[in-house]
Amino acid sequence: MIVDVSNSNKIVVEKSTVPMKTAEAIEKILTHNSQGIKYQILSNPEFLAEGTAIQDLFIPDRVLIGGRETPDGQKAIQALKDVYAHWVPEDRIITTNLWTAELSKLAANAFLAQRISSINARSSLCEATSADVAQVSHAVGKDTRIGSKFLNASVGFGGSCFQKDILNLVYICECNGLTEVANYWKQVIKVNDNQKNHFVNRIVSSMFNTVSGKKIDVLGFAFKKDTGDTRETPAIDMCKGLLGDKARLSI
């Protein structure tokens, strides 16, 4: 479709979180059908979080632009950099090659998900030892090397990104023969799934080991506060677990 409407050289910017080498695939398709027009493909993944997307756009932690390490590729990178420079400080605009840009987005989401699984693993230990997970999170978060964000997680992570991106990372690792690394990231998802099961079991055990016929209110069904997004929300699996024991749910 881009080729059909192009009558001059074009810069094509890939914004979505995609499997690695997607920019390369786009480049091959456009070049093969170029009809004499030159295309430069840039990877510019967005780091907008649901609930704070506008703020993240106006005051981003960083802007990442990946492109080819050729003269034309560098010119394309500079062209997009000039657009962002109207409102983003130059030291926050990072330029890389295509592979780095695509992998950085997956890596960022994987690290955030890892923090949630990490604190949830500790919450189970806190319950077993009478420690207070909120106080543990507070104490740990005071370390400037760690920080406090993503250490007050609920019943695991949800949403359309984290699990998809971790599995994408797992796939890349396995394709490159990095089995141990793939298993490490798989464990992040496993801990997340275990946390949901653990929470359902806690509810059932607190209600004399059965919720059959009992009405339970489910508050905060979305995967994250300040959103209406229920994609992959942990609440879905929890509700299925409670319905399996014939609970009456009010969401």
Side-chain angles (χ1 to χ4, degrees):
M1 291 171 68
I2 292 171
V3 169
D4 287 343
V5 297
S6 296
N7 51 23
S8 62
N9 294 344
K10 292 285 178 283
I11 298 171
V12 179
V13 184
E14 165 197 283
K15 289 290 294 176
S16 300
T17 305
V18 292
M20 288 178 67
K21 286 199 169 185
T22 297
E24 201 172 282
I26 294 171
E27 185 180 59
K28 286 179 180 176
I29 293 167
L30 291 176
T31 302
H32 182 72
N33 299 281
S34 66
Q35 300 175 6
I37 292 172
K38 291 183 179 179
Y39 296 93
Q40 287 298 322
I41 317 303
L42 300 181
S43 175
N44 176 217
E46 61 180 23
F47 293 95
L48 309 180
E50 287 197 51
T52 59
I54 301 301
Q55 181 183 343
D56 295 338
L57 178 64
F58 282 121
I59 313 172
D61 291 332
R62 77 292 203 193
V63 169
L64 185 59
I65 305 170
R68 287 293 183 195
E69 296 170 303
T70 62
D72 285 344
Q74 293 304 300
K75 283 181 185 176
I77 289 174
Q78 188 60 48
L80 184 56
K81 188 176 178 180
D82 290 343
V83 173
Y84 280 109
H86 286 288
W87 78 94
V88 180
E90 190 172 350
D91 61 351
R92 293 193 185 184
I93 304 175
I94 303 167
T95 59
T96 69
N97 62 32
L98 284 172
W99 270 84
T100 301
E102 290 181 333
L103 180 58
S104 294
K105 172 62 177 182
L106 299 180
N109 279 352
F111 268 96
L112 293 174
Q114 178 190 31
R115 285 173 70 91
I116 295 172
S117 285
S118 181
I119 198 63
N120 278 340
R122 281 153 186 75
S123 72
S124 299
L125 181 60
C126 287
E127 291 170 17
T129 58
S130 300
D132 187 325
V133 69
Q135 292 179 357
V136 169
S137 295
H138 180 71
V140 169
K142 285 296 181 182
D143 189 324
T144 55
R145 297 166 300 175
I146 298 172
S148 60
K149 292 183 178 178
F150 282 72
L151 291 182
N152 290 299
S154 181
V155 194
F157 56 78
S160 63
C161 293
F162 283 0
Q163 180 158 311
K164 167 182 66 68
D165 289 350
I166 291 174
L167 290 173
N168 199 340
L169 205 55
V170 168
Y171 175 75
I172 295 166
C173 291
E174 289 178 340
C175 286
N176 286 279
L178 303 171
T179 307
E180 294 82 2
V181 181
N183 289 339
Y184 173 84
W185 290 112
K186 282 181 185 176
Q187 191 65 25
V188 172
I189 293 176
K190 188 174 180 181
V191 169
N192 196 54
D193 291 338
N194 288 343
Q195 181 69 10
K196 291 180 281 190
N197 294 332
H198 176 69
F199 198 77
V200 170
N201 291 337
R202 281 194 67 201
I203 294 172
V204 174
S205 64
S206 71
M207 301 182 79
F208 305 102
N209 293 319
T210 181
V211 291
S212 180
K214 297 175 181 178
K215 184 176 180 181
I216 298 173
D217 288 342
V218 181
L219 305 178
F221 191 82
F223 87 94
K224 182 183 180 183
K225 70 176 184 178
D226 297 328
T227 79
D229 195 342
T230 61
R231 287 177 294 177
E232 302 292 336
T233 174
I236 292 173
D237 292 323
M238 289 174 51
C239 288
K240 284 180 178 177
L242 295 170
L243 289 170
D245 197 26
K246 296 183 173 59
R248 294 170 56 229
L249 300 185
S250 181
I251 296 171

mmCIF file of all heavy atoms in Angstrom, residues 117-156:
data_model
loop_
_atom_site.group_PDB
_atom_site.id
_atom_site.type_symbol
_atom_site.label_atom_id
_atom_site.label_comp_id
_atom_site.label_asym_id
_atom_site.label_seq_id
_atom_site.Cartn_x
_atom_site.Cartn_y
_atom_site.Cartn_z
ATOM 1 N N SER A 117 6.934 -10.105 39.170
ATOM 2 C CA SER A 117 7.062 -11.508 39.586
ATOM 3 C C SER A 117 7.979 -11.631 40.789
ATOM 4 O O SER A 117 7.761 -12.447 41.691
ATOM 5 C CB SER A 117 7.592 -12.367 38.432
ATOM 6 O OG SER A 117 6.576 -12.590 37.479
ATOM 7 N N SER A 118 9.016 -10.814 40.820
ATOM 8 C CA SER A 118 9.983 -10.867 41.925
ATOM 9 C C SER A 118 9.331 -10.505 43.251
ATOM 10 O O SER A 118 9.484 -11.221 44.246
ATOM 11 C CB SER A 118 11.147 -9.909 41.626
ATOM 12 O OG SER A 118 12.100 -9.947 42.661
ATOM 13 N N ILE A 119 8.583 -9.405 43.288
ATOM 14 C CA ILE A 119 7.959 -9.002 44.561
ATOM 15 C C ILE A 119 6.823 -9.946 44.926
ATOM 16 O O ILE A 119 6.566 -10.211 46.097
ATOM 17 C CB ILE A 119 7.478 -7.531 44.517
ATOM 18 C CG1 ILE A 119 7.256 -7.009 45.936
ATOM 19 C CG2 ILE A 119 6.244 -7.371 43.667
ATOM 20 C CD1 ILE A 119 8.505 -6.965 46.801
ATOM 21 N N ASN A 120 6.140 -10.513 43.919
ATOM 22 C CA ASN A 120 5.077 -11.466 44.227
ATOM 23 C C ASN A 120 5.633 -12.769 44.795
ATOM 24 O O ASN A 120 5.019 -13.410 45.644
ATOM 25 C CB ASN A 120 4.227 -11.745 42.990
ATOM 26 C CG ASN A 120 3.179 -10.669 42.764
ATOM 27 O OD1 ASN A 120 2.827 -9.939 43.684
ATOM 28 N ND2 ASN A 120 2.688 -10.545 41.549
ATOM 29 N N ALA A 121 6.808 -13.176 44.325
ATOM 30 C CA ALA A 121 7.463 -14.352 44.903
ATOM 31 C C ALA A 121 7.796 -14.080 46.365
ATOM 32 O O ALA A 121 7.677 -14.974 47.227
ATOM 33 C CB ALA A 121 8.728 -14.686 44.116
ATOM 34 N N ARG A 122 8.189 -12.854 46.667
ATOM 35 C CA ARG A 122 8.504 -12.495 48.052
ATOM 36 C C ARG A 122 7.252 -12.400 48.905
ATOM 37 O O ARG A 122 7.295 -12.631 50.107
ATOM 38 C CB ARG A 122 9.274 -11.181 48.093
ATOM 39 C CG ARG A 122 10.743 -11.366 47.761
ATOM 40 C CD ARG A 122 11.378 -10.115 47.168
ATOM 41 N NE ARG A 122 12.759 -10.362 46.731
ATOM 42 C CZ ARG A 122 13.084 -11.031 45.641
ATOM 43 N NH1 ARG A 122 12.126 -11.543 44.886
ATOM 44 N NH2 ARG A 122 14.342 -11.221 45.302
ATOM 45 N N SER A 123 6.116 -12.037 48.281
ATOM 46 C CA SER A 123 4.876 -11.941 49.062
ATOM 47 C C SER A 123 4.470 -13.301 49.607
ATOM 48 O O SER A 123 3.984 -13.406 50.739
ATOM 49 C CB SER A 123 3.751 -11.350 48.200
ATOM 50 O OG SER A 123 3.317 -12.271 47.220
ATOM 51 N N SER A 124 4.686 -14.351 48.811
ATOM 52 C CA SER A 124 4.390 -15.707 49.294
ATOM 53 C C SER A 124 5.281 -16.061 50.472
ATOM 54 O O SER A 124 4.830 -16.667 51.454
ATOM 55 C CB SER A 124 4.604 -16.718 48.160
ATOM 56 O OG SER A 124 3.740 -16.453 47.079
ATOM 57 N N LEU A 125 6.534 -15.670 50.389
ATOM 58 C CA LEU A 125 7.462 -15.917 51.492
ATOM 59 C C LEU A 125 7.069 -15.103 52.727
ATOM 60 O O LEU A 125 7.155 -15.600 53.860
ATOM 61 C CB LEU A 125 8.886 -15.559 51.056
ATOM 62 C CG LEU A 125 9.998 -15.774 52.082
ATOM 63 C CD1 LEU A 125 10.067 -17.239 52.506
ATOM 64 C CD2 LEU A 125 11.340 -15.332 51.504
ATOM 65 N N CYS A 126 6.590 -13.878 52.505
ATOM 66 C CA CYS A 126 6.153 -13.036 53.626
ATOM 67 C C CYS A 126 4.981 -13.676 54.366
ATOM 68 O O CYS A 126 4.935 -13.664 55.605
ATOM 69 C CB CYS A 126 5.759 -11.649 53.120
ATOM 70 S SG CYS A 126 7.153 -10.622 52.649
ATOM 71 N N GLU A 127 4.045 -14.232 53.599
ATOM 72 C CA GLU A 127 2.893 -14.893 54.232
ATOM 73 C C GLU A 127 3.338 -16.077 55.074
ATOM 74 O O GLU A 127 2.791 -16.335 56.145
ATOM 75 C CB GLU A 127 1.916 -15.362 53.154
ATOM 76 C CG GLU A 127 1.204 -14.229 52.438
ATOM 77 C CD GLU A 127 0.438 -14.728 51.217
ATOM 78 O OE1 GLU A 127 0.212 -15.953 51.126
ATOM 79 O OE2 GLU A 127 0.089 -13.898 50.366
ATOM 80 N N ALA A 128 4.331 -16.790 54.582
ATOM 81 C CA ALA A 128 4.802 -17.983 55.287
ATOM 82 C C ALA A 128 5.593 -17.633 56.543
ATOM 83 O O ALA A 128 5.717 -18.458 57.457
ATOM 84 C CB ALA A 128 5.671 -18.832 54.357
ATOM 85 N N THR A 129 6.120 -16.414 56.600
ATOM 86 C CA THR A 129 6.990 -16.040 57.721
ATOM 87 C C THR A 129 6.447 -14.889 58.555
ATOM 88 O O THR A 129 7.133 -14.367 59.419
ATOM 89 C CB THR A 129 8.380 -15.632 57.196
ATOM 90 O OG1 THR A 129 8.220 -14.546 56.274
ATOM 91 C CG2 THR A 129 9.071 -16.795 56.504
ATOM 92 N N SER A 130 5.208 -14.457 58.293
ATOM 93 C CA SER A 130 4.569 -13.349 59.014
ATOM 94 C C SER A 130 5.258 -12.010 58.777
ATOM 95 O O SER A 130 5.108 -11.077 59.568
ATOM 96 C CB SER A 130 4.515 -13.637 60.530
ATOM 97 O OG SER A 130 3.769 -14.805 60.778
ATOM 98 N N ALA A 131 6.024 -11.896 57.717
ATOM 99 C CA ALA A 131 6.599 -10.601 57.350
ATOM 100 C C ALA A 131 5.545 -9.798 56.595
ATOM 101 O O ALA A 131 4.585 -10.357 56.066
ATOM 102 C CB ALA A 131 7.836 -10.801 56.482
ATOM 103 N N ASP A 132 5.702 -8.473 56.542
ATOM 104 C CA ASP A 132 4.763 -7.585 55.864
ATOM 105 C C ASP A 132 5.334 -7.219 54.501
ATOM 106 O O ASP A 132 6.325 -6.497 54.406
ATOM 107 C CB ASP A 132 4.546 -6.326 56.706
ATOM 108 C CG ASP A 132 3.448 -5.430 56.138
ATOM 109 O OD1 ASP A 132 3.318 -5.354 54.892
ATOM 110 O OD2 ASP A 132 2.731 -4.801 56.923
ATOM 111 N N VAL A 133 4.700 -7.707 53.438
ATOM 112 C CA VAL A 133 5.238 -7.486 52.089
ATOM 113 C C VAL A 133 5.255 -6.004 51.715
ATOM 114 O O VAL A 133 6.162 -5.542 51.015
ATOM 115 C CB VAL A 133 4.458 -8.308 51.029
ATOM 116 C CG1 VAL A 133 3.033 -7.779 50.856
ATOM 117 C CG2 VAL A 133 5.195 -8.281 49.688
ATOM 118 N N ALA A 134 4.286 -5.218 52.214
ATOM 119 C CA ALA A 134 4.266 -3.781 51.925
ATOM 120 C C ALA A 134 5.490 -3.099 52.531
ATOM 121 O O ALA A 134 6.111 -2.231 51.902
ATOM 122 C CB ALA A 134 2.986 -3.151 52.454
ATOM 123 N N GLN A 135 5.835 -3.515 53.754
ATOM 124 C CA GLN A 135 7.008 -2.930 54.405
ATOM 125 C C GLN A 135 8.305 -3.403 53.742
ATOM 126 O O GLN A 135 9.272 -2.647 53.626
ATOM 127 C CB GLN A 135 7.005 -3.269 55.898
ATOM 128 C CG GLN A 135 5.874 -2.574 56.658
ATOM 129 C CD GLN A 135 5.845 -2.933 58.133
ATOM 130 O OE1 GLN A 135 6.639 -3.750 58.602
ATOM 131 N NE2 GLN A 135 4.938 -2.318 58.872
ATOM 132 N N VAL A 136 8.311 -4.662 53.292
ATOM 133 C CA VAL A 136 9.481 -5.173 52.570
ATOM 134 C C VAL A 136 9.678 -4.372 51.279
ATOM 135 O O VAL A 136 10.788 -3.941 50.959
ATOM 136 C CB VAL A 136 9.319 -6.679 52.247
ATOM 137 C CG1 VAL A 136 10.404 -7.136 51.274
ATOM 138 C CG2 VAL A 136 9.379 -7.514 53.519
ATOM 139 N N SER A 137 8.576 -4.143 50.542
ATOM 140 C CA SER A 137 8.640 -3.368 49.299
ATOM 141 C C SER A 137 9.151 -1.960 49.567
ATOM 142 O O SER A 137 9.976 -1.426 48.813
ATOM 143 C CB SER A 137 7.263 -3.288 48.646
ATOM 144 O OG SER A 137 6.823 -4.560 48.245
ATOM 145 N N HIS A 138 8.658 -1.361 50.645
ATOM 146 C CA HIS A 138 9.070 0.002 50.994
ATOM 147 C C HIS A 138 10.560 0.057 51.297
ATOM 148 O O HIS A 138 11.280 0.935 50.806
ATOM 149 C CB HIS A 138 8.261 0.493 52.196
ATOM 150 C CG HIS A 138 8.617 1.875 52.634
ATOM 151 N ND1 HIS A 138 8.309 2.999 51.909
ATOM 152 C CD2 HIS A 138 9.293 2.314 53.744
ATOM 153 C CE1 HIS A 138 8.762 4.078 52.523
ATOM 154 N NE2 HIS A 138 9.365 3.687 53.650
ATOM 155 N N ALA A 139 11.022 -0.904 52.092
ATOM 156 C CA ALA A 139 12.434 -0.932 52.483
ATOM 157 C C ALA A 139 13.342 -1.183 51.276
ATOM 158 O O ALA A 139 14.366 -0.519 51.097
ATOM 159 C CB ALA A 139 12.657 -2.003 53.556
ATOM 160 N N VAL A 140 12.940 -2.138 50.450
ATOM 161 C CA VAL A 140 13.736 -2.467 49.260
ATOM 162 C C VAL A 140 13.754 -1.295 48.275
ATOM 163 O O VAL A 140 14.794 -0.951 47.703
ATOM 164 C CB VAL A 140 13.178 -3.733 48.567
ATOM 165 C CG1 VAL A 140 13.832 -3.927 47.201
ATOM 166 C CG2 VAL A 140 13.400 -4.961 49.440
ATOM 167 N N GLY A 141 12.602 -0.661 48.099
ATOM 168 C CA GLY A 141 12.485 0.435 47.143
ATOM 169 C C GLY A 141 13.280 1.666 47.509
ATOM 170 O O GLY A 141 13.555 2.514 46.654
ATOM 171 N N LYS A 142 13.662 1.801 48.778
ATOM 172 C CA LYS A 142 14.462 2.940 49.224
ATOM 173 C C LYS A 142 15.904 2.865 48.721
ATOM 174 O O LYS A 142 16.630 3.850 48.784
ATOM 175 C CB LYS A 142 14.446 3.040 50.755
ATOM 176 C CG LYS A 142 13.143 3.575 51.330
ATOM 177 C CD LYS A 142 12.899 5.015 50.885
ATOM 178 C CE LYS A 142 11.623 5.578 51.476
ATOM 179 N NZ LYS A 142 11.369 6.959 51.002
ATOM 180 N N ASP A 143 16.299 1.693 48.273
ATOM 181 C CA ASP A 143 17.635 1.547 47.677
ATOM 182 C C ASP A 143 17.626 2.253 46.327
ATOM 183 O O ASP A 143 16.851 1.891 45.445
ATOM 184 C CB ASP A 143 17.968 0.058 47.516
ATOM 185 C CG ASP A 143 19.418 -0.202 47.113
ATOM 186 O OD1 ASP A 143 19.958 0.604 46.323
ATOM 187 O OD2 ASP A 143 19.992 -1.194 47.576
ATOM 188 N N THR A 144 18.487 3.264 46.179
ATOM 189 C CA THR A 144 18.474 4.049 44.939
ATOM 190 C C THR A 144 18.821 3.218 43.715
ATOM 191 O O THR A 144 18.466 3.577 42.598
ATOM 192 C CB THR A 144 19.467 5.222 45.040
ATOM 193 O OG1 THR A 144 20.765 4.714 45.377
ATOM 194 C CG2 THR A 144 19.021 6.219 46.101
ATOM 195 N N ARG A 145 19.503 2.089 43.912
ATOM 196 C CA ARG A 145 19.831 1.226 42.777
ATOM 197 C C ARG A 145 18.614 0.447 42.297
ATOM 198 O O ARG A 145 18.592 -0.068 41.181
ATOM 199 C CB ARG A 145 20.938 0.240 43.160
ATOM 200 C CG ARG A 145 22.260 0.886 43.534
ATOM 201 C CD ARG A 145 23.171 -0.109 44.209
ATOM 202 N NE ARG A 145 22.576 -0.635 45.434
ATOM 203 C CZ ARG A 145 23.111 -1.592 46.193
ATOM 204 N NH1 ARG A 145 24.268 -2.138 45.834
ATOM 205 N NH2 ARG A 145 22.503 -2.002 47.286
ATOM 206 N N ILE A 146 17.596 0.340 43.150
ATOM 207 C CA ILE A 146 16.411 -0.460 42.833
ATOM 208 C C ILE A 146 15.210 0.427 42.512
ATOM 209 O O ILE A 146 14.573 0.284 41.482
ATOM 210 C CB ILE A 146 16.080 -1.421 43.999
ATOM 211 C CG1 ILE A 146 17.248 -2.395 44.226
ATOM 212 C CG2 ILE A 146 14.776 -2.178 43.736
ATOM 213 C CD1 ILE A 146 17.111 -3.249 45.460
ATOM 214 N N GLY A 147 14.881 1.341 43.417
ATOM 215 C CA GLY A 147 13.725 2.219 43.218
ATOM 216 C C GLY A 147 12.425 1.545 43.625
ATOM 217 O O GLY A 147 12.362 0.323 43.797
ATOM 218 N N SER A 148 11.375 2.345 43.758
ATOM 219 C CA SER A 148 10.122 1.840 44.331
ATOM 220 C C SER A 148 9.086 1.387 43.300
ATOM 221 O O SER A 148 8.112 0.727 43.653
ATOM 222 C CB SER A 148 9.494 2.926 45.205
ATOM 223 O OG SER A 148 9.222 4.080 44.421
ATOM 224 N N LYS A 149 9.291 1.729 42.025
ATOM 225 C CA LYS A 149 8.255 1.430 41.030
ATOM 226 C C LYS A 149 8.151 -0.069 40.752
ATOM 227 O O LYS A 149 9.141 -0.778 40.731
ATOM 228 C CB LYS A 149 8.544 2.184 39.735
ATOM 229 C CG LYS A 149 8.380 3.692 39.869
ATOM 230 C CD LYS A 149 8.611 4.411 38.554
ATOM 231 C CE LYS A 149 8.395 5.915 38.704
ATOM 232 N NZ LYS A 149 8.662 6.625 37.430
ATOM 233 N N PHE A 150 6.885 -0.512 40.545
ATOM 234 C CA PHE A 150 6.566 -1.911 40.219
ATOM 235 C C PHE A 150 6.906 -2.868 41.363
ATOM 236 O O PHE A 150 7.115 -4.046 41.144
ATOM 237 C CB PHE A 150 7.274 -2.352 38.929
ATOM 238 C CG PHE A 150 6.600 -1.854 37.675
ATOM 239 C CD1 PHE A 150 6.667 -0.524 37.308
ATOM 240 C CD2 PHE A 150 5.871 -2.719 36.872
ATOM 241 C CE1 PHE A 150 6.028 -0.050 36.174
ATOM 242 C CE2 PHE A 150 5.235 -2.264 35.721
ATOM 243 C CZ PHE A 150 5.317 -0.922 35.377
ATOM 244 N N LEU A 151 6.964 -2.345 42.600
ATOM 245 C CA LEU A 151 7.181 -3.223 43.758
ATOM 246 C C LEU A 151 5.936 -3.289 44.634
ATOM 247 O O LEU A 151 5.979 -3.857 45.720
ATOM 248 C CB LEU A 151 8.387 -2.729 44.588
ATOM 249 C CG LEU A 151 9.760 -2.872 43.926
ATOM 250 C CD1 LEU A 151 10.852 -2.391 44.872
ATOM 251 C CD2 LEU A 151 10.032 -4.316 43.519
ATOM 252 N N ASN A 152 4.826 -2.700 44.169
ATOM 253 C CA ASN A 152 3.567 -2.786 44.907
ATOM 254 C C ASN A 152 2.509 -3.425 44.015
ATOM 255 O O ASN A 152 1.403 -2.919 43.867
ATOM 256 C CB ASN A 152 3.118 -1.392 45.364
ATOM 257 C CG ASN A 152 4.028 -0.839 46.452
ATOM 258 O OD1 ASN A 152 4.133 -1.431 47.518
ATOM 259 N ND2 ASN A 152 4.690 0.267 46.168
ATOM 260 N N ALA A 153 2.887 -4.521 43.417
ATOM 261 C CA ALA A 153 2.018 -5.189 42.448
ATOM 262 C C ALA A 153 0.852 -5.878 43.145
ATOM 263 O O ALA A 153 0.916 -6.212 44.324
ATOM 264 C CB ALA A 153 2.817 -6.210 41.659
ATOM 265 N N SER A 154 -0.200 -6.087 42.385
ATOM 266 C CA SER A 154 -1.364 -6.801 42.903
ATOM 267 C C SER A 154 -1.178 -8.299 42.646
ATOM 268 O O SER A 154 -0.140 -8.844 42.994
ATOM 269 C CB SER A 154 -2.630 -6.267 42.237
ATOM 270 O OG SER A 154 -3.759 -6.929 42.730
ATOM 271 N N VAL A 155 -2.155 -8.902 41.995
ATOM 272 C CA VAL A 155 -2.103 -10.357 41.814
ATOM 273 C C VAL A 155 -1.429 -10.691 40.483
ATOM 274 O O VAL A 155 -2.007 -11.342 39.623
ATOM 275 C CB VAL A 155 -3.519 -10.955 41.885
ATOM 276 C CG1 VAL A 155 -3.442 -12.483 42.043
ATOM 277 C CG2 VAL A 155 -4.287 -10.366 43.042
ATOM 278 N N GLY A 156 -0.223 -10.222 40.297
ATOM 279 C CA GLY A 156 0.499 -10.499 39.057
ATOM 280 C C GLY A 156 0.241 -9.439 38.008
ATOM 281 O O GLY A 156 -0.576 -8.548 38.172
#
